[in-house]
Amino acid sequence: MSGKVRDYSQLAKDILEAVGGEENVIGATRCATRLRLVLKRSNPKAKDKVASMPGVITVVENGGQFQVVIGQHVGEVYEKFAGLVNLQSTDVQNENKGTVVNRIIATMSAVFAPFIYILAAAGILQGALIIINLLFPGFAETGTYQVFSFISWAPFTFLPIFIAITAANHFKTNLYIAVACCAALVSPTWAEIAAQITEGNSMNFLGLALSPTTYTSSVLPPLFLVWILSYLERFLNKNMNEVVRPLLVPLLSLVIMVPLTILLIGPVTTAGATGIANGYNFLAENAPAVAGAIIGGFWQVIVIFGVHWGITPMVLANYDLYGRDSFQAYQTIAVIAQVGAVLGVILKAKSQETRKVSVSAGVTGLFGITEPAIYGVTLRFKKPFIFGCISGAIGAVAASFFNPYYFAYAGLPGPLTIVNGINPEYPMSIWGILLGAAIAIVLPIVLIQIFGFGEDTAKKADDTPAAEEGQSSSLTNNEEAVYAPFNGKVIPLSEVPDEVFSSGAMGQGLAIEPTDNKLHAPFDGTVVMVAPTKHAIGLRSESGVELLVHIGLDTVNLNGEPFALKVADGDKFKKGDTLIEFDKDFIHSKGLTTITPIIITNSGAYQEVIVENIQTSTLSDRLLTVVK
């Protein structure tokens, strides 16, 4: 449950406890919006528990990772979390890391995510220089331009060193040895040697011919170097006398890994990256509309599962080989389409809370970060996400007719990086991107105004059932009542002895300590969820109010023994129908309380939830009033 949180230390502790403690954490990294954990054992209950915490947008389990989507404060949470676990000492060699694909995705995320903002900043600086040169052509000849230019290129030139740092942490190898090896790859001396080989001067190492491959801005060669280094270092540490180990391990690592990379690892992995990039480029050049439709339409689907880092080596290879890349041009249009979908919700929504969440998500989208928009707005209402994907595909197809390219890497492609598509040699590129962006931002707004965004409470207001005859009610067409499901003592939610409920993280509501043994329906509606242990049930009213009734606290541990279901998932019911019977005395005999939180889980979709001021409840009493 997304919400304001400033106690990042407590949130980090809560997440660690929920996932099984330090002993269950193999690795932890972060990206722009997510805390990414690799766990020894997966606990099905952990996902829902963490997702309900204040400050957490949602949880995604994919790519062998437990991904906690936090948003802009992920850095603070990661810092506190990293201080709670000793990841360097974690033995990952004997753990099951999942499938090969999952391990590759996890590695790409762990390696690139920590410094993505550095690359994004450098890309924005390059975009700014492009604009200044357009406005002031003579600026390119000044020393000021030269200084800012080499600053903007420095992170890309020395990219292998960044990779050495993050990969050493991921593969649990010596950081300084990894940096020393990768620094050798970007040495100016090696660049001179490679240039001589390119010019036809044959050179060899121990009788083996050297390849003219250079490694500035490269991705896979330093990544594979550090990966293999991690095995070599462990072997040397295990088999070498501890007296000579501090000197000989770095010495042997350097003299083995650097030559091995320039002779074999570098040429092979560079050829692999080039092949993948050329495969994509073949599609983009021969069927640009197909490439645009795929990327524009499905990029945000990939983002949902957190596997989007896997494309980074290919994109960087394009910039290194050709100085341009069309993938990020289409990617930008996909991002803008989700921003457009959020704008559509802002214009259509009647709920102030929905508008507030949408504005916040839209602002982060301007910086190329779409997770808050996806999880907080577009995917939540479903239609906006679909409209965004459709609009992204159409916009990218339209752009494809103008050969769109980015000429400077954008760490976080989005509206602010469109200028990276400007290049005098490809004058139509920027116009194609602008056309695609215009379609991507306008079309979802239009579609949402026509077809709505799913949870359109303004349209459903007229369908609210009238209060039953004989019941005291002052409801209007913009209000709906939730009646008491029990007879019993009413307890404010803040006094419930469970922080998840009392904090309001799951929504607004109250609690009742029942005096009877039956849970009755509080309105007409449908059963949307029944816990396997029968202690909790999710209900949806005919107009869309979603209610969670959690009978007792910690009663999940009773494995359903004191509960008897009278309905099943998907059943419809009328107000007053018996939904669950339970043995109150049995629950008390186990030392547990029957205090029952009653929560409106989609409180954010409404302008206000009014909690009635009553001390005891009967089935005819109105507990909550939802204002639409």
Side-chain angles (χ1 to χ4, degrees), residues 345-346 348-358 380-381 453 455 457-458 603-608 627-628:
V345 172
I346 293 172
K348 187 74 172 178
K350 302 299 182 183
S351 166
Q352 293 299 319
E353 180 65 23
T354 300
R355 286 183 174 179
K356 182 172 67 175
V357 172
S358 299
R380 168 186 164 191
F381 294 110
F453 58 85
E455 193 75 29
T457 56
S603 301
Y606 300 96
Q607 292 193 34
E608 188 178 5
V627 182
K628 302 177 179 180

Side-chain angles (χ1 to χ4, degrees), residues 336-586:
I336 291 175
Q338 290 300 314
V339 176
V342 171
L343 291 176
V345 172
I346 293 172
L347 294 175
K348 187 74 172 178
K350 302 299 182 183
S351 166
Q352 293 299 319
E353 180 65 23
T354 300
R355 286 183 174 179
K356 182 172 67 175
V357 172
S358 299
V359 168
S360 176
V363 170
T364 60
L366 295 177
F367 294 92
I369 302 172
T370 53
E371 280 93 338
I374 292 172
Y375 295 115
V377 183
T378 63
L379 194 61
R380 168 186 164 191
F381 294 110
K382 296 183 177 63
K383 282 186 180 180
F385 183 77
I386 295 171
F387 293 154
C389 291
I390 293 172
S391 303
I394 295 174
V397 169
S400 70
F401 293 99
F402 297 84
N403 294 321
Y405 291 105
Y406 263 23
F407 300 93
Y409 179 80
L412 298 168
L416 297 182
T417 65
I418 288 177
V419 295
N420 291 15
I422 299 175
N423 188 293
E425 296 181 11
Y426 295 85
M428 298 307 295
S429 170
I430 185 62
W431 294 110
I433 296 172
L434 288 172
L435 174 62
I439 294 172
I441 201 165
V442 172
L443 185 56
I445 294 175
V446 173
L447 291 174
I448 289 172
Q449 304 319 299
I450 296 173
F451 299 105
F453 58 85
E455 193 75 29
D456 191 345
T457 56
K459 288 188 176 182
K460 294 179 180 178
D462 293 335
D463 299 329
T464 304
E468 293 187 16
E469 185 176 356
Q471 292 173 342
S472 174
S473 175
S474 59
L475 299 182
T476 69
N477 286 336
N478 290 322
E479 297 178 354
E480 180 173 355
V482 176
Y483 291 91
F486 302 111
N487 298 311
K489 176 185 177 182
V490 177
I491 301 171
L493 196 61
S494 60
E495 296 179 12
V496 172
D498 186 304
E499 186 177 355
V500 173
F501 295 111
S502 63
S503 66
M506 297 191 68
Q508 299 181 56
L510 44 68
I512 294 177
E513 188 167 10
T515 56
D516 51 9
N517 292 323
K518 294 182 180 180
L519 168 65
H520 300 273
F523 43 57
D524 295 349
T526 305
V527 178
V528 295
M529 183 280 295
V530 177
T533 48
K534 308 176 187 177
H535 71 292
I537 189 168
L539 312 173
R540 181 184 293 123
S541 75
E542 292 180 345
S543 68
V545 174
E546 296 179 359
L547 193 75
L548 172 67
V549 182
H550 191 287
I551 303 175
L553 302 177
D554 297 323
T555 47
V556 63
N557 299 319
L558 300 178
N559 295 317
E561 189 172 349
F563 303 101
L565 293 175
K566 302 302 178 181
V567 290
D569 193 358
D571 285 356
K572 293 186 178 298
F573 55 80
K574 292 292 185 181
K575 180 185 174 299
D577 287 352
T578 300
L579 305 179
I580 300 176
E581 293 183 356
F582 56 96
D583 188 337
K584 185 159 58 77
D585 295 334
F586 179 88

Side-chain angles (χ1 to χ4, degrees), residues 195-212:
Q196 293 178 31
I197 298 172
T198 302
E199 293 171 359
N201 297 323
S202 177
M203 299 190 70
N204 65 76
F205 175 81
L206 299 178
L208 300 173
L210 292 173
S211 165

